[in-house]
Every structure is written in C-alpha cells, then in structure tokens.
mmCIF file of all heavy atoms in Angstrom:
data_model
loop_
_atom_site.group_PDB
_atom_site.id
_atom_site.type_symbol
_atom_site.label_atom_id
_atom_site.label_comp_id
_atom_site.label_asym_id
_atom_site.label_seq_id
_atom_site.Cartn_x
_atom_site.Cartn_y
_atom_site.Cartn_z
ATOM 1 N N ILE Y 22 0.844 -1.205 0.000
ATOM 2 C CA ILE Y 22 0.000 0.000 0.000
ATOM 3 C C ILE Y 22 0.874 1.249 0.000
ATOM 4 O O ILE Y 22 0.667 2.178 -0.795
ATOM 5 C CB ILE Y 22 -0.953 -0.012 1.211
ATOM 6 C CG1 ILE Y 22 -1.994 -1.126 1.070
ATOM 7 C CG2 ILE Y 22 -1.635 1.345 1.379
ATOM 8 C CD1 ILE Y 22 -2.788 -1.401 2.332
ATOM 9 N N ALA Y 23 1.864 1.281 0.884
ATOM 10 C CA ALA Y 23 2.752 2.445 0.973
ATOM 11 C C ALA Y 23 3.510 2.649 -0.336
ATOM 12 O O ALA Y 23 3.650 3.781 -0.823
ATOM 13 C CB ALA Y 23 3.726 2.268 2.141
ATOM 14 N N ASP Y 24 3.991 1.558 -0.940
ATOM 15 C CA ASP Y 24 4.721 1.658 -2.205
ATOM 16 C C ASP Y 24 3.828 2.204 -3.313
ATOM 17 O O ASP Y 24 4.259 3.010 -4.145
ATOM 18 C CB ASP Y 24 5.261 0.283 -2.622
ATOM 19 C CG ASP Y 24 6.468 -0.140 -1.803
ATOM 20 O OD1 ASP Y 24 7.037 0.723 -1.111
ATOM 21 O OD2 ASP Y 24 6.829 -1.333 -1.849
ATOM 22 N N SER Y 25 2.562 1.751 -3.328
ATOM 23 C CA SER Y 25 1.660 2.196 -4.400
ATOM 24 C C SER Y 25 1.319 3.685 -4.260
ATOM 25 O O SER Y 25 1.080 4.364 -5.257
ATOM 26 C CB SER Y 25 0.379 1.357 -4.407
ATOM 27 O OG SER Y 25 -0.462 1.695 -3.326
ATOM 28 N N ILE Y 26 1.319 4.173 -3.013
ATOM 29 C CA ILE Y 26 1.073 5.613 -2.783
ATOM 30 C C ILE Y 26 2.330 6.421 -3.096
ATOM 31 O O ILE Y 26 2.260 7.515 -3.660
ATOM 32 C CB ILE Y 26 0.648 5.865 -1.325
ATOM 33 C CG1 ILE Y 26 -0.678 5.168 -1.022
ATOM 34 C CG2 ILE Y 26 0.529 7.366 -1.033
ATOM 35 C CD1 ILE Y 26 -1.039 5.161 0.458
ATOM 36 N N GLY Y 27 3.496 5.858 -2.733
ATOM 37 C CA GLY Y 27 4.753 6.577 -2.889
ATOM 38 C C GLY Y 27 5.235 7.191 -1.596
ATOM 39 O O GLY Y 27 5.863 8.251 -1.593
ATOM 40 N N VAL Y 28 4.929 6.527 -0.463
ATOM 41 C CA VAL Y 28 5.394 6.998 0.843
ATOM 42 C C VAL Y 28 6.130 5.868 1.555
ATOM 43 O O VAL Y 28 5.987 4.693 1.207
ATOM 44 C CB VAL Y 28 4.216 7.480 1.737
ATOM 45 C CG1 VAL Y 28 3.503 8.655 1.102
ATOM 46 C CG2 VAL Y 28 3.243 6.350 2.046
ATOM 47 N N ASP Y 29 6.916 6.232 2.547
ATOM 48 C CA ASP Y 29 7.525 5.236 3.426
ATOM 49 C C ASP Y 29 6.564 4.958 4.574
ATOM 50 O O ASP Y 29 5.843 5.861 5.022
ATOM 51 C CB ASP Y 29 8.849 5.758 3.996
ATOM 52 C CG ASP Y 29 9.902 5.948 2.912
ATOM 53 O OD1 ASP Y 29 10.004 5.076 2.026
ATOM 54 O OD2 ASP Y 29 10.610 6.978 2.948
ATOM 55 N N LEU Y 30 6.560 3.721 5.050
ATOM 56 C CA LEU Y 30 5.742 3.406 6.220
ATOM 57 C C LEU Y 30 6.229 4.205 7.425
ATOM 58 O O LEU Y 30 7.439 4.384 7.615
ATOM 59 C CB LEU Y 30 5.814 1.911 6.540
ATOM 60 C CG LEU Y 30 4.894 0.978 5.752
ATOM 61 C CD1 LEU Y 30 5.133 -0.474 6.171
ATOM 62 C CD2 LEU Y 30 3.426 1.336 5.943
ATOM 63 N N GLY Y 31 5.279 4.684 8.223
ATOM 64 C CA GLY Y 31 5.633 5.409 9.435
ATOM 65 C C GLY Y 31 6.350 4.515 10.432
ATOM 66 O O GLY Y 31 6.194 3.292 10.427
ATOM 67 N N LYS Y 32 7.128 5.146 11.286
ATOM 68 C CA LYS Y 32 7.916 4.383 12.262
ATOM 69 C C LYS Y 32 7.154 4.280 13.583
ATOM 70 O O LYS Y 32 6.818 5.303 14.196
ATOM 71 C CB LYS Y 32 9.270 5.070 12.491
ATOM 72 C CG LYS Y 32 10.161 5.119 11.257
ATOM 73 C CD LYS Y 32 11.478 5.808 11.564
ATOM 74 C CE LYS Y 32 12.405 5.830 10.365
ATOM 75 N NZ LYS Y 32 11.841 6.603 9.230
ATOM 76 N N CYS Y 33 6.896 3.058 13.990
ATOM 77 C CA CYS Y 33 6.294 2.817 15.314
ATOM 78 C C CYS Y 33 6.736 1.449 15.792
ATOM 79 O O CYS Y 33 7.137 0.602 14.994
ATOM 80 C CB CYS Y 33 4.766 2.908 15.258
ATOM 81 S SG CYS Y 33 3.962 1.581 14.369
ATOM 82 N N SER Y 34 6.672 1.252 17.083
ATOM 83 C CA SER Y 34 7.057 -0.048 17.652
ATOM 84 C C SER Y 34 5.895 -0.604 18.458
ATOM 85 O O SER Y 34 5.166 0.133 19.123
ATOM 86 C CB SER Y 34 8.295 0.096 18.540
ATOM 87 O OG SER Y 34 8.022 0.959 19.632
ATOM 88 N N VAL Y 35 5.723 -1.913 18.347
ATOM 89 C CA VAL Y 35 4.693 -2.614 19.126
ATOM 90 C C VAL Y 35 5.405 -3.641 19.988
ATOM 91 O O VAL Y 35 5.978 -4.605 19.474
ATOM 92 C CB VAL Y 35 3.666 -3.312 18.207
ATOM 93 C CG1 VAL Y 35 2.578 -3.973 19.048
ATOM 94 C CG2 VAL Y 35 3.054 -2.336 17.211
ATOM 95 N N LYS Y 36 5.383 -3.419 21.295
ATOM 96 C CA LYS Y 36 6.075 -4.317 22.221
ATOM 97 C C LYS Y 36 5.082 -4.870 23.230
ATOM 98 O O LYS Y 36 3.923 -4.464 23.280
ATOM 99 C CB LYS Y 36 7.212 -3.572 22.924
ATOM 100 C CG LYS Y 36 8.288 -3.049 21.962
ATOM 101 C CD LYS Y 36 9.330 -2.231 22.694
ATOM 102 C CE LYS Y 36 10.373 -1.681 21.717
ATOM 103 N NZ LYS Y 36 11.337 -0.780 22.382
ATOM 104 N N ARG Y 37 5.542 -5.789 24.045
ATOM 105 C CA ARG Y 37 4.703 -6.405 25.076
ATOM 106 C C ARG Y 37 5.375 -6.274 26.439
ATOM 107 O O ARG Y 37 6.587 -6.453 26.565
ATOM 108 C CB ARG Y 37 4.489 -7.906 24.798
ATOM 109 C CG ARG Y 37 3.736 -8.248 23.526
ATOM 110 C CD ARG Y 37 2.251 -7.932 23.654
ATOM 111 N NE ARG Y 37 1.452 -8.450 22.549
ATOM 112 C CZ ARG Y 37 1.338 -7.889 21.365
ATOM 113 N NH1 ARG Y 37 2.029 -6.792 21.093
ATOM 114 N NH2 ARG Y 37 0.558 -8.406 20.431
ATOM 115 N N PHE Y 38 4.575 -5.952 27.444
ATOM 116 C CA PHE Y 38 5.051 -6.093 28.816
ATOM 117 C C PHE Y 38 5.113 -7.589 29.139
ATOM 118 O O PHE Y 38 4.596 -8.424 28.385
ATOM 119 C CB PHE Y 38 4.106 -5.383 29.786
ATOM 120 C CG PHE Y 38 4.180 -3.880 29.721
ATOM 121 C CD1 PHE Y 38 3.168 -3.146 29.116
ATOM 122 C CD2 PHE Y 38 5.264 -3.194 30.255
ATOM 123 C CE1 PHE Y 38 3.219 -1.765 29.051
ATOM 124 C CE2 PHE Y 38 5.337 -1.813 30.205
ATOM 125 C CZ PHE Y 38 4.313 -1.091 29.597
ATOM 126 N N LYS Y 39 5.728 -7.942 30.237
ATOM 127 C CA LYS Y 39 5.907 -9.355 30.597
ATOM 128 C C LYS Y 39 4.580 -10.092 30.718
ATOM 129 O O LYS Y 39 4.500 -11.294 30.476
ATOM 130 C CB LYS Y 39 6.687 -9.473 31.916
ATOM 131 C CG LYS Y 39 8.137 -9.033 31.838
ATOM 132 C CD LYS Y 39 8.964 -9.965 30.963
ATOM 133 C CE LYS Y 39 10.439 -9.592 31.015
ATOM 134 N NZ LYS Y 39 11.231 -10.404 30.055
ATOM 135 N N ASP Y 40 3.519 -9.366 31.111
ATOM 136 C CA ASP Y 40 2.229 -10.039 31.283
ATOM 137 C C ASP Y 40 1.394 -10.031 30.000
ATOM 138 O O ASP Y 40 0.238 -10.443 30.009
ATOM 139 C CB ASP Y 40 1.435 -9.388 32.427
ATOM 140 C CG ASP Y 40 1.077 -7.937 32.137
ATOM 141 O OD1 ASP Y 40 1.575 -7.395 31.121
ATOM 142 O OD2 ASP Y 40 0.303 -7.347 32.909
ATOM 143 N N GLY Y 41 1.984 -9.560 28.893
ATOM 144 C CA GLY Y 41 1.280 -9.598 27.623
ATOM 145 C C GLY Y 41 0.621 -8.293 27.227
ATOM 146 O O GLY Y 41 0.111 -8.174 26.108
ATOM 147 N N GLU Y 42 0.593 -7.302 28.118
ATOM 148 C CA GLU Y 42 0.007 -6.006 27.757
ATOM 149 C C GLU Y 42 0.763 -5.391 26.592
ATOM 150 O O GLU Y 42 1.979 -5.497 26.495
ATOM 151 C CB GLU Y 42 0.065 -5.041 28.953
ATOM 152 C CG GLU Y 42 -0.979 -5.286 30.010
ATOM 153 C CD GLU Y 42 -0.940 -4.217 31.093
ATOM 154 O OE1 GLU Y 42 -0.309 -3.161 30.878
ATOM 155 O OE2 GLU Y 42 -1.529 -4.457 32.161
ATOM 156 N N ILE Y 43 0.025 -4.733 25.705
ATOM 157 C CA ILE Y 43 0.604 -4.153 24.496
ATOM 158 C C ILE Y 43 1.096 -2.741 24.783
ATOM 159 O O ILE Y 43 0.401 -1.940 25.401
ATOM 160 C CB ILE Y 43 -0.436 -4.138 23.358
ATOM 161 C CG1 ILE Y 43 -0.834 -5.571 22.999
ATOM 162 C CG2 ILE Y 43 0.087 -3.401 22.127
ATOM 163 C CD1 ILE Y 43 -2.115 -5.675 22.206
ATOM 164 N N GLN Y 44 2.308 -2.454 24.314
ATOM 165 C CA GLN Y 44 2.898 -1.117 24.464
ATOM 166 C C GLN Y 44 3.269 -0.607 23.083
ATOM 167 O O GLN Y 44 4.030 -1.247 22.346
ATOM 168 C CB GLN Y 44 4.146 -1.190 25.346
ATOM 169 C CG GLN Y 44 4.827 0.158 25.540
ATOM 170 C CD GLN Y 44 6.156 0.034 26.267
ATOM 171 O OE1 GLN Y 44 6.812 -1.007 26.200
ATOM 172 N NE2 GLN Y 44 6.561 1.091 26.952
ATOM 173 N N ILE Y 45 2.710 0.527 22.689
ATOM 174 C CA ILE Y 45 2.962 1.099 21.362
ATOM 175 C C ILE Y 45 3.647 2.445 21.507
ATOM 176 O O ILE Y 45 3.259 3.259 22.345
ATOM 177 C CB ILE Y 45 1.643 1.235 20.569
ATOM 178 C CG1 ILE Y 45 1.165 -0.153 20.117
ATOM 179 C CG2 ILE Y 45 1.810 2.159 19.360
ATOM 180 C CD1 ILE Y 45 -0.133 -0.156 19.335
ATOM 181 N N ASN Y 46 4.661 2.667 20.668
ATOM 182 C CA ASN Y 46 5.341 3.955 20.649
ATOM 183 C C ASN Y 46 5.433 4.436 19.209
ATOM 184 O O ASN Y 46 5.939 3.730 18.333
ATOM 185 C CB ASN Y 46 6.738 3.840 21.257
ATOM 186 C CG ASN Y 46 7.416 5.189 21.334
ATOM 187 O OD1 ASN Y 46 6.787 6.204 21.634
ATOM 188 N ND2 ASN Y 46 8.720 5.226 21.049
ATOM 189 N N ILE Y 47 4.913 5.636 18.926
ATOM 190 C CA ILE Y 47 5.018 6.239 17.597
ATOM 191 C C ILE Y 47 6.329 7.019 17.568
ATOM 192 O O ILE Y 47 6.531 7.935 18.371
ATOM 193 C CB ILE Y 47 3.816 7.155 17.316
ATOM 194 C CG1 ILE Y 47 2.526 6.338 17.375
ATOM 195 C CG2 ILE Y 47 3.955 7.838 15.958
ATOM 196 C CD1 ILE Y 47 1.279 7.171 17.499
ATOM 197 N N GLU Y 48 7.212 6.652 16.641
ATOM 198 C CA GLU Y 48 8.589 7.132 16.682
ATOM 199 C C GLU Y 48 8.863 8.275 15.707
ATOM 200 O O GLU Y 48 9.995 8.457 15.264
ATOM 201 C CB GLU Y 48 9.530 5.948 16.434
ATOM 202 C CG GLU Y 48 9.410 4.904 17.540
ATOM 203 C CD GLU Y 48 10.150 3.609 17.248
ATOM 204 O OE1 GLU Y 48 10.594 3.439 16.090
ATOM 205 O OE2 GLU Y 48 10.274 2.782 18.164
ATOM 206 N N GLU Y 49 7.833 9.024 15.353
ATOM 207 C CA GLU Y 49 8.008 10.233 14.539
ATOM 208 C C GLU Y 49 6.835 11.154 14.814
ATOM 209 O O GLU Y 49 5.782 10.706 15.290
ATOM 210 C CB GLU Y 49 8.098 9.891 13.048
ATOM 211 C CG GLU Y 49 6.872 9.201 12.490
ATOM 212 C CD GLU Y 49 7.067 8.829 11.029
ATOM 213 O OE1 GLU Y 49 6.732 9.665 10.161
ATOM 214 O OE2 GLU Y 49 7.541 7.706 10.764
#
C-alpha cells in the first residue's frame, strides 16, 4: 500500500510487557 502511494511506512514499535500487555510507541 505504501509503495503504491509513494510513501515510506511510518515508524512505530509494538512491544509487550511481561504479562502480555501491548505497548505502542510512535517514533516520529
């Protein structure tokens, strides 16, 4: 999708706490 538009995918990280909770950080 990003290639067809002509953009780079945004930078973000999806991590997990030890108990499985989701932690998201948008890096731009």
Side-chain angles (χ1 to χ4, degrees):
I22 292 168
D24 285 346
S25 73
I26 297 170
V28 298
D29 294 318
L30 277 178
K32 296 180 178 63
C33 69
S34 62
V35 183
K36 298 176 182 175
R37 296 287 190 280
F38 288 106
K39 292 293 186 186
D40 64 352
E42 283 185 15
I43 297 163
Q44 179 187 27
I45 287 180
N46 184 39
I47 300 164
E48 297 171 349
E49 61 183 270

